[in-house]
């Protein structure tokens, strides 16, 4: 039995005596009737104590020992010797890959100490657990610690999946031969990596929601149930990111026993110890246990077992529990003599315990995460565990085996080893290469028919193939034709509705589609009612793995809160990050589950890109597809909510993501055209892209779609209303609800000032700019050929006069077009902080109302000598546009 309690060694008082008797009685119950009865007894005592008003503390920590006692371990099933040799070769090649590159190309970077701490944790998985397939079904999903990528490459190199040429081009991606990306990037190595993980915290969060999404797909019968697991390898430093731990309770709430976190507790992060003055393992144990996870600690290797067995008083454990992580790190850094003096030396009994061991043996006493036997047993328990997710807290040494770089604060940044360290590495891990090759950091590949290669390939064959790989199945998708969106194209027949309402009706229609309806995944972060989505909740239900265990108070109402086991909506609660993780799981299901699902993540646009931008970036890297829908958009259209809610910049942020196609539609038919074409491109033409669409809550009549505007909608601009009074002398661009202001301005100009203007709907400045940039590039690269014209110039060909562009977004959005236009356009936008007020006041404040647009037109015409300057100045006063107030951009 583990020395769980610190037994009072000397019984000096009556109380000591009494405690000894209680403990003895307890031991008897456990010995005679088993641990469960022991637990029952304790629980009964705790209840009794609480009834009696005794303040019983809640303990979430177990002793600083392995969760699985040695007596309960099963033997290791593999060939330990051979696996060690294989692991050593991988260690070597991983290190050599980084070392060589940094010698050749100083500063190119890479990491050697992280993988060295992780090698056993990964290798036991690769040899015995990570399944690449379950029969015909896809296999486990593994989120690797991003900066341990050299180790993953080194294994793939031995497996024959990466060539020597590729490995030699680690971090050289632009040199002809396909190089290896620094970190896991599906965008860059699309047949290898699945999950971008290197931005700390995103891997664990995405893994958690991936596990839930897998169950969602199973419960909705979109995939077969399999024993598939999701493994997430996480750094202990990485757990400081709120994304890592912030959503843990989802795992226990949803009983995600398909999920295993392995936290590589090497006690260090980049700068130094993770918890120098504390114990990260204890902190994480309490955190995960408190969140309802199954916690398995892998603290000490087998060589500690006899010491624990010989220590009858629990003093060894006591000494371990006294040490803070900073000391544990120093012990590893300073070696055996220091450990004897400072660790064991504190108590004479402990010194005696290890008197038969040399300093070297003391130094080598293994941490659990480096002992395949301990790791295997932990993994076995984890995969067999049911009812909750499991976290394995594996204690390791950063820079394990790197000699003088082991457990040093600077080890994370170590890129090269000195000649002597290379030789020592070679000796320590028995790398069969000559000394001189070792000093060159040469790669080592055993012969094709070597025992090592045969063994590792055979293990992978047994486990269904190689990992990681990202293979795409050929999938069929029936995009509904544009005719099927007829309701959205027909307009609202004079009824005032918002684009949000129009979108919700469209989504309801899509959900009814006999072919693809079931593939739609609506995701909402507790904003369904804000967007009027109650009808969708009623229509397809909220996914609830337990069904609905209560009678909702509103069940008599038409639109009651309906939760179902096979519900379709992912109602995530107030977590944009979690919702984005679900969006990522769904948006990549085509590659991870061979099932296309079409996510529509509808959220408060302000809380999108600026809040969870890094997750969006990783989504794009993962070749995610789907629709991000930023509702309650627009700094002046969202009334009342003020500074922290009114979004006037998400389109700027959207423009930074290469695969994001962002649209700011004014009318529902525009949305229909964008969504229909988007589905066709993403799922039929297999284009790696996704969409961002802003929606507004301002009600106005939705016109019927004019003829021939589809291409313009998709490319970014079309003429919406021509001047009714002769050839226009000024052009008005409008987007979103501000298009209506442009139309009003057109009327003011015509009626009051006899100025003819055309009005254009600009659905996407971002798309127009992208097209212009790529045309310009082509022209630059082909000076001898006749230049091509960007779409924007073709679209407005023949349109005369200056351009006034008004938007509910920042001026930089329309400004994007300036380089290609005859003259700089006049941008009216919403730079600055929002305010609480109604739309009329907001638009006046930000100078994007019809009057501001009309006066801007007169003003620029006056500058061009096409309108009387004094009359233009007077117009500001007549139309109520303040000329001497402060600029709202700085107000
Ligand atoms: C969001 C983010 N911030 C910072 C970094 C830079 N960074 C890369 S690795 C690292 C330390 C990681 O420590 P830990 O998670 O303990 O992993 P270990 O290397 O110790 O296994 C840091 C800060 C990053 N990759 N992502
Ligand atoms: Mg660490």
């Amino acid at each position: 039995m583990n020395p769980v309690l610190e037994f009072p060694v000397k019984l000096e008082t009556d109380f000591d005596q009494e405690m000894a008797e209680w403990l003895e009685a307890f031991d008897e119950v456990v010995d005679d009737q088993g641990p469960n009865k022991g637990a029952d007894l304790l629980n009964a005592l705790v209840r009794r104590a609480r009834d009696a008003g005794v303040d019983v503390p809640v303990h979430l920590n177990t002793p600083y020992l392995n969760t699985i006692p040695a007596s309960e371990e099963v033997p290791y099933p593999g060939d330990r010797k051979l696996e060690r040799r294989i692991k050593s070769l991988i260690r070597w090649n991983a290190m050599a890959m980084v070392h060589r590159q940094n010698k050749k190309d100083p500063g190119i970077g890479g990491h050697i100490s992280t993988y060295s701490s992780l090698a056993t944790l990964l290798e036991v998985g690769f040899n015995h657990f990570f399944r690449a397939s379950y029969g015909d079904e896809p296999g486990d999903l593994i989120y690797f610690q991003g900066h341990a990528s050299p180790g993953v490459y080194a294994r793939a190199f031995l497996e024959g999946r990466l060539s020597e040429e590729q490995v030699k081009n680690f971090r050289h991606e632009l040199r002809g031969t396909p190089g290896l990306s620094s970190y896991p990037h599906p965008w860059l190595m699309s047949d290898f990596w699945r999950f971008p993980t290197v931005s700390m915290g995103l891997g664990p969060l995405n893994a958690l929601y991936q596990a839930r999404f897998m169950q969602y797909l199973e419960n909705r019968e979109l995939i077969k149930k399999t024993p598939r697991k999701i493994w997430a390898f996480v750094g202990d430093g990485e757990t400081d990111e709120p994304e890592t731990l912030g959503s843990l309770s989802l795992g226990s709430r949803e009983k995600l026993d398909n999920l295993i976190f392995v936290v590589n507790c090497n006690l260090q992060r980049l700068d130094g110890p993770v918890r120098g003055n504390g114990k990260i393992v204890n902190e994480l144990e309490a955190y995960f246990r408190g969140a309802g996870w199954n916690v398995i600690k892998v603290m000490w290797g087998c060589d500690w077992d006899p010491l624990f067995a010989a220590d009858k008083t629990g003093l060894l454990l006591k000494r371990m529990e006294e040490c803070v992580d900073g000391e544990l790190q120093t012990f590893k850094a300073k070696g055996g003599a220091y450990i004897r003096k400072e660790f064991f030396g504190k108590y004479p009994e402990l010194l005696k315990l290890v008197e038969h061991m040399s300093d070297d043996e003391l130094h080598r006493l293994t941490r659990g995460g480096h002992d395949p036997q301990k790791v295997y047993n932990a993994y076995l328990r984890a995969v067999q565990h049911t009812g909750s997710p499991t976290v394995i807290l594996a204690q390791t040494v950063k820079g394990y085996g790197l000699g003088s770089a082991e457990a040093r604060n600077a080890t994370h940044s170590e890129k090269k080893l000195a000649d002597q360290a290379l030789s020592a590495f070679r000796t320590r891990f028995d790398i069969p290469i000559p000394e001189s090759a070792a000093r060159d950091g040469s790669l080592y590949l055993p012969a094709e028919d070597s025992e090592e290669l045969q063994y590792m390939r055979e293990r992978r064959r047994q486990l269904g193939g190689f990992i990681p790989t990202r293979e795409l199945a050929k999938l069929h998708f029936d995009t509904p034709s544009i005719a099927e969106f007829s309701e959205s194209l027909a307009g609202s027949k004079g009824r005032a509705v918002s684009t949000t309402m129009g979108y919700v009706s469209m989504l309801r229609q899509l959900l009814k589609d006999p072919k693809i309806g079931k593939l739609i995944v609506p995701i909402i972060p507790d904003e369904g009612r804000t967007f009027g989505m109650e009808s969708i909740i009623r229509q397809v239900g909220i996914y609830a793995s337990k069904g609905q265990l209560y009678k909702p108070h509103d069940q008599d109402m038409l639109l009651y809160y309906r939760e179902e086991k096979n519900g379709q909506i992912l109602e995530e609660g107030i977590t944009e990050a979690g919702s984005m993780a679900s969006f990522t799981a769904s948006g990549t299901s085509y590659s991870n589950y061979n099932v296309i699902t079409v996510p529509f993540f509808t959220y408060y646009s302000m809380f999108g890109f600026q809040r969870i931008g890094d997750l969006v970036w990783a989504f794009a890297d993962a070749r995610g597809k789907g629709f991000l829908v930023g509702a309650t958009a627009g700094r002046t259209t969202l009334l009342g909510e003020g500074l922290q809610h009114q979004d006037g910049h998400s389109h700027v942020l959207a423009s930074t993501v290469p695969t994001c196609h962002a649209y700011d539609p004014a009318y529902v038919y525009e949305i229909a055209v964008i969504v229909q074409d988007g589905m066709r491109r993403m799922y039929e033409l297999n284009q790696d892209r996704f969409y961002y669409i802003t929606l507004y809550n301002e009600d106005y009549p939705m016109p019927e779609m004019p003829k021939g505007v589809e291409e313009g909608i998709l490319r970014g601009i079309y003429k919406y209303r021509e001047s009714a009074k002769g050839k226009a002398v000024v052009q008005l661009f409008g987007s979103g609800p501000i298009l209506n202001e442009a139309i009003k301005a057109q009327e003011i100009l015509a009626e009051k000032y006899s100025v003819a203007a055309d009005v254009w709907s600009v659905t996407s400045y971002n798309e127009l700019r992208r097209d212009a940039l790529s045309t310009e590039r082509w022209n630059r690269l082909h000076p001898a050929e006749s230049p091509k014209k960007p779409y924007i110039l073709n679209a407005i060909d023949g349109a005369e006069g200056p351009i006034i562009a008004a938007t509910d977004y920042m001026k930089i959005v329309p400004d994007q077009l300036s380089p290609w236009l005859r003259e700089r356009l006049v941008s009216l936008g919403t730079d600055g902080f929002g305010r609480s007020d109604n739309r009329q006041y907001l638009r006046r404040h930000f100078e994007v109302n019809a009057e501001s647009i009309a006066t801007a037109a007169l003003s620029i015409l006056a500058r061009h000598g096409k309108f009387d300057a004094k009359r233009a100045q007077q117009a500001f006063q007549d139309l109520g546009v303040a000329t001497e107030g402060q600029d709202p951009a700085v107000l």
Side-chain angles (χ1 to χ4, degrees):
M1 224 171 64
N2 288 328
V4 174
L5 290 169
E6 200 185 316
F7 203 89
V9 181
K10 284 188 199 142
L11 305 177
E12 286 174 345
T13 64
D14 288 351
F15 184 70
D16 289 346
Q17 183 63 44
E18 200 171 341
M19 192 191 300
E21 282 166 19
W22 276 68
L23 293 176
E24 199 182 327
F26 179 78
D27 286 349
E28 261 173 38
V29 171
V30 174
D31 288 346
D32 297 349
Q33 301 177 56
N36 289 346
K37 285 283 177 271
D40 288 348
L41 188 62
L42 270 186
N43 285 335
L45 259 180
V46 168
R47 268 201 310 277
R48 174 62 61 95
R50 292 210 170 110
D51 285 350
V54 177
D55 183 14
V56 187
V58 176
H59 285 298
L60 291 170
N61 278 121
T62 58
Y64 207 62
L65 293 170
N66 297 338
T67 302
I68 305 171
S71 57
E72 289 180 24
E73 286 172 10
V74 299
Y76 196 77
D79 182 333
R80 282 282 297 268
K81 258 178 121 170
L82 201 48
E83 287 188 22
R84 180 178 185 271
R85 278 207 328 256
I86 295 165
K87 184 168 62 188
S88 298
L89 297 180
I90 297 175
R91 280 183 190 286
W92 173 264
N93 286 329
M95 180 277 297
M97 174 182 328
V98 180
H99 171 87
R100 296 178 76 256
Q101 213 64 320
N102 280 275
K103 271 203 138 169
K104 196 158 104 189
D105 196 349
I108 199 73
H111 302 82
I112 53 181
S113 59
T114 299
Y115 178 70
S116 67
S117 64
L118 189 66
T120 302
L121 293 168
L122 285 190
E123 278 304 293
V124 172
F126 277 123
N127 283 322
H128 301 283
F129 289 93
F130 303 159
R131 293 200 63 97
S133 60
Y134 290 89
D136 292 339
E137 297 297 314
D140 299 331
L141 299 175
I142 323 274
Y143 290 73
F144 293 99
Q145 254 187 292
H147 51 294
S149 58
V152 181
Y153 292 142
R155 170 166 254 271
F157 172 55
L158 293 194
E159 288 167 343
R161 302 196 295 136
L162 294 177
S163 67
E164 183 159 345
E165 193 81 12
Q166 280 175 289
V167 175
K168 285 184 173 166
N169 272 318
F170 172 61
R171 288 188 173 226
H172 279 180
E173 293 187 273
L174 303 173
R175 319 257 168 136
T177 331
L180 300 181
S181 59
S182 47
Y183 302 117
H185 294 303
W187 189 260
L188 304 173
M189 293 175 68
S190 61
D191 54 359
F192 195 85
W193 295 116
R194 286 175 187 271
F195 306 114
T197 48
V198 79
S199 178
M200 305 274 111
L202 303 192
L205 181 77
N206 277 326
L208 185 51
Y209 280 83
Q210 182 74 262
R212 206 275 300 260
F213 191 71
M214 187 190 282
Q215 285 198 351
Y216 167 89
L217 291 178
E218 288 172 356
N219 284 337
R220 292 197 51 228
E221 298 180 359
L222 289 171
I223 59 170
K224 277 193 214 152
K225 258 194 193 329
T226 57
R228 279 183 100 175
K229 299 283 178 207
I230 289 156
W231 296 77
F233 289 84
V234 183
D236 50 357
E238 188 175 8
T239 63
D240 281 339
E241 291 285 4
E243 287 87 348
T244 307
L245 301 180
S247 298
L248 288 188
S249 60
L250 175 80
S252 45
R253 201 160 62 239
E254 296 290 313
K255 302 191 188 315
L256 299 179
D257 48 23
N258 56 352
L259 178 64
I260 299 166
F261 273 19
V262 180
V263 186
N264 175 13
C265 296
N266 56 25
L267 314 184
Q268 288 178 244
R269 44 179 164 71
L270 193 151
D271 284 340
V274 178
R275 293 289 182 271
N277 296 316
K279 280 172 139 36
I280 186 65
V281 172
N282 282 353
E283 192 176 317
L284 292 176
E285 178 184 32
Y287 218 108
F288 278 91
R289 205 183 292 286
W293 285 50
N294 174 40
V295 181
I296 301 176
K297 292 195 300 186
V298 184
M299 306 299 297
W300 310 109
C302 291
D303 41 10
W304 285 93
D305 288 339
L307 299 180
F308 281 119
D311 171 42
K312 300 294 177 208
T313 60
L315 204 53
L316 183 55
L317 172 64
K318 177 178 157 67
R319 180 72 189 106
M320 279 167 169
E321 293 190 332
E322 281 168 4
C323 292
V324 290
D325 284 356
E327 288 173 291
L328 290 180
Q329 185 192 338
T330 304
F331 294 143
K332 275 295 172 199
K334 292 214 165 180
Y338 185 85
I339 294 172
R340 186 184 306 278
K341 179 161 174 277
E342 298 296 330
F343 180 77
F344 293 101
K346 179 158 183 199
Y347 300 110
E349 295 93 324
L350 292 188
L351 264 186
K352 213 165 152 30
L353 197 67
V354 293
E355 66 188 358
H356 62 289
M357 295 173 75
S358 68
D359 286 351
D360 196 39
E361 282 170 327
L362 290 189
H363 184 220
R364 287 207 182 195
L365 276 169
T366 322
R367 301 236 165 123
H370 294 295
D371 187 330
Q373 163 79 12
K374 303 292 185 196
V375 173
Y376 179 85
N377 274 277
Y379 285 6
L380 189 65
R381 281 240 180 143
V383 295
Q384 289 170 346
H385 177 78
T386 55
S388 65
T390 293
V391 61
I392 292 165
L393 301 174
Q395 188 165 236
T396 58
V397 179
K398 192 145 178 169
Y400 182 81
L402 296 182
S404 60
E406 196 171 283
R408 305 277 156 171
N409 281 329
T411 185
H412 186 90
S413 316
E414 214 74 57
K415 314 283 172 209
K416 287 183 283 206
L417 294 187
D419 286 354
Q420 198 196 354
L422 285 167
S423 306
F425 193 121
R426 166 183 166 272
T427 313
R428 168 149 188 196
F429 293 109
D430 305 318
I431 309 300
I433 55 172
E435 176 82 25
S436 59
R439 289 184 177 220
D440 288 345
S442 298
L443 298 169
Y444 179 75
L445 184 64
E448 262 307 295
D449 59 355
S450 64
E451 252 189 311
E452 290 89 347
L453 294 199
Q454 286 187 11
Y455 181 89
M456 69 193 291
R457 287 180 187 160
E458 175 56 18
R459 291 307 312 149
R460 289 315 310 162
R461 200 185 62 74
Q462 297 265 349
L463 291 163
F466 295 119
I467 278 185
T469 46
R470 182 177 175 277
E471 281 167 30
L472 296 187
K474 266 216 156 339
L475 301 173
H476 181 77
F477 188 83
D478 285 301
T479 310
S481 71
I482 190 72
E484 290 172 64
F485 290 80
S486 56
E487 201 180 283
S488 308
L489 303 179
S492 62
K493 320 274 188 267
R495 201 161 61 93
V497 296
S498 64
T499 48
T500 310
M501 280 167 78
Y503 157 79
V504 171
S505 314
M506 191 182 308
L507 199 53
R508 290 191 58 188
Q509 281 302 117
L510 281 174
L511 286 160
K512 283 186 205 152
D513 185 283
K515 289 188 179 132
I516 61 144
K518 60 179 186 303
L519 306 177
I520 307 282
V521 181
I523 302 168
I524 35 176
D526 198 35
E527 294 286 358
R529 290 182 199 279
T530 313
F531 312 138
M533 293 174 83
E534 296 94 326
S535 57
I536 295 189
I537 295 179
R538 175 68 185 90
Q539 184 184 341
V540 293
I542 289 170
Y543 171 73
S545 55
K546 297 189 179 104
Q548 194 152 29
L549 302 177
Y550 61 98
K551 271 194 196 150
H553 79 85
D554 52 1
Q555 72 168 352
D556 299 336
M557 292 162 69
L558 186 62
L559 300 179
Y560 76 97
Y561 196 81
R562 175 178 161 210
E563 298 192 86
E564 294 220 356
K565 194 163 177 178
N566 62 354
Q568 197 160 345
I569 299 170
L570 289 173
E571 159 66 84
E572 300 295 10
I574 311 167
T575 166
E576 283 75 15
S579 304
M580 188 62 210
S582 279
F583 184 71
T584 303
S586 171
T588 53
S589 67
Y590 69 96
S591 59
N592 293 324
Y593 302 96
N594 298 341
V595 172
I596 290 173
T597 58
V598 185
F600 285 83
F601 169 22
T602 315
Y603 57 89
Y604 229 114
S605 80
M606 188 69 164
F607 305 126
F609 281 87
Q610 75 167 6
R611 175 133 191 167
I612 49 159
D614 205 19
L615 281 159
V616 178
W617 187 258
F619 173 84
D621 182 353
R623 296 171 178 261
K625 305 179 183 189
F627 295 94
L628 285 181
V629 183
T632 49
R635 192 155 281 154
T636 70
T637 306
L638 176 61
L639 64 168
E641 292 293 297
L643 184 152
Q644 187 81 58
H645 284 70
Q646 291 161 338
D647 165 37
H649 50 283
S650 62
H651 278 285
V652 181
L653 302 176
S655 76
T656 61
V657 184
T659 57
C660 179
H661 296 263
Y663 287 90
D664 189 17
Y667 299 132
V668 174
Y669 65 80
E670 295 177 347
I671 303 175
V673 169
I674 295 160
V675 168
Q676 195 273 344
D677 185 66
M679 288 201 283
R680 188 179 65 85
R681 285 175 184 275
M682 291 188 287
Y683 307 116
E684 271 186 45
L685 306 182
N686 292 321
Q687 295 179 354
D688 290 313
R689 50 161 60 203
F690 70 101
Y691 286 80
Y692 176 53
I693 301 173
T694 36
L695 297 182
Y696 297 84
N697 62 2
E698 181 173 0
D699 295 334
Y700 46 85
M702 291 295 154
E704 184 182 357
M705 181 162 80
K707 289 232 169 335
V709 297
E710 288 96 326
E711 188 192 354
I713 293 172
L714 295 171
R715 305 289 298 267
I717 186 168
Y718 64 96
K719 194 187 281 182
Y720 178 70
R721 185 181 284 180
E722 197 144 74
S723 152
K725 289 200 169 172
K727 175 97 177 143
V729 294
V730 63
Q731 310 298 324
L732 308 181
F733 287 6
S735 307
I738 301 301
L739 178 60
N740 297 324
E741 300 291 334
I743 294 168
K744 265 191 250 161
Q746 182 189 41
E747 287 158 12
I748 294 170
L749 287 169
E751 285 162 20
K752 297 203 165 154
Y753 303 97
S754 296
V755 167
D758 291 336
V759 173
W760 304 73
S761 173
V762 185
T763 50
S764 180
Y765 286 101
N766 293 6
E767 288 298 290
L768 290 172
R769 177 174 169 84
R770 257 191 205 146
D771 166 79
L773 283 173
S774 100
T775 313
E776 182 179 70
R777 174 175 179 271
W778 191 92
N779 290 344
R780 172 165 45 86
L781 297 174
H782 302 90
E785 298 187 47
S786 55
K788 296 182 177 181
K789 240 175 161 180
Y791 185 82
I792 175 65
L793 293 188
N794 279 327
I796 62 169
D797 197 27
E800 284 176 14
I803 297 169
I804 319 296
T807 167
D808 220 359
Y809 280 82
M810 292 172 70
K811 297 182 182 89
I812 196 169
V813 175
D815 278 350
Q816 294 184 85
L817 295 185
S818 282
W820 296 280
L821 302 173
R822 281 189 307 274
E823 63 174 309
R824 198 186 167 285
L825 40 63
V826 177
S827 294
L828 300 178
T830 58
D831 299 49
F833 285 124
R835 288 288 195 286
S836 299
D837 215 310
N838 67 20
R839 289 184 190 119
Q840 187 194 346
Y841 279 80
L842 286 167
R843 287 180 185 163
R844 193 159 73 187
H845 170 80
F846 282 104
E847 300 162 4
V848 294
N849 56 1
E851 291 76 11
S852 296
I853 299 171
T855 47
L858 297 175
S859 178
I860 190 82
L861 285 171
R863 292 247 174 246
H864 288 192
K866 299 273 166 66
F867 193 81
D868 180 64
K870 287 220 169 86
R871 244 187 110 200
Q873 190 69 62
Q874 182 61 35
F876 282 89
Q877 206 180 335
D878 295 346
L879 295 177
V881 179
T883 54
E884 306 311 315
Q886 220 183 322
D887 182 352
V890 293
L891 204 55

